[in-house]
Amino acid sequence: MEPIRISSPADAISYMGHSLGYWPKESLVCVALEGKTLGPTLRVNLPRTTGPAENYAEVVAHSIGIDHDATAVLIALFTHQPWGQGHPKPFVSMIQGLKRRLLTAGLLVHDVDRRPHILRHVRRRQPHQLRQGNSAGRN
């Protein structure tokens, strides 16, 4: 399989839509990575409020943690809420809680809306390479 080149946040965002098979709306999308190898993609609806969402962050972190081979996670918000140029980033409390949980679990976190480059060469894992996780997560 030909490597997929992700060298910008736009490339990562495009891959997320391709991986899901549709363009997500009002969603948080996470892609697990094992080194430079792309793993499973997780899409969840954004919480209905922008306030603290500790339970939401905990559930998302647990879901990502099921992939025991993951070493890093790409995360992106897909929302119509305004941000930038005088508008604060929406869901900042939830994103910070999620990042904190993922970092505590030993995963690097790449927020694709801010990084000048993400990865140079990545490969998709073949379905038989995905490890079956258990519900215990990454503790």
Side-chain angles (χ1 to χ4, degrees):
M1 178 175 274
E2 182 101 9
I4 296 171
R5 185 178 202 90
I6 296 180
S7 57
S8 71
D11 290 345
I13 296 291
S14 293
Y15 172 78
M16 289 173 175
H18 172 77
S19 170
L20 292 168
Y22 61 93
W23 196 252
K25 296 178 182 174
E26 300 307 313
S27 300
L28 172 72
V29 178
C30 303
V31 178
L33 301 170
E34 181 185 353
K36 292 184 177 183
T37 302
L38 292 166
T41 301
L42 171 71
R43 190 217 58 88
V44 292
N45 292 335
L46 287 170
R48 296 198 185 273
T49 65
T50 58
E54 291 301 312
N55 188 48
Y56 178 91
E58 184 176 331
V59 169
V60 172
H62 173 76
S63 297
I64 295 166
I66 289 173
D67 182 358
H68 298 286
D69 294 330
T71 57
V73 180
L74 301 176
I75 61 173
L77 285 176
F78 289 80
T79 183
H80 292 293
Q81 292 189 32
W83 53 327
Q85 296 183 350
H87 297 279
K89 183 175 180 178
F91 305 101
V92 70
S93 173
M94 180 271 296
I95 294 293
Q96 288 173 345
L98 176 59
K99 286 180 178 182
R100 209 172 23 256
R101 283 178 167 76
L102 294 171
L103 289 168
T104 299
L107 295 170
L108 297 173
V109 179
H110 303 285
D111 192 347
V112 299
D113 67 293
R114 290 190 230 170
R115 297 184 57 87
H117 70 283
I118 303 299
L119 302 169
R120 291 289 177 216
H121 298 280
V122 294
R123 295 170 304 174
R124 281 185 280 180
R125 270 195 245 165
Q126 297 298 316
H128 66 276
Q129 291 177 301
L130 296 178
R131 222 168 120 188
Q132 294 293 328
N134 61 32
S135 61
R138 186 187 269 284
N139 290 358

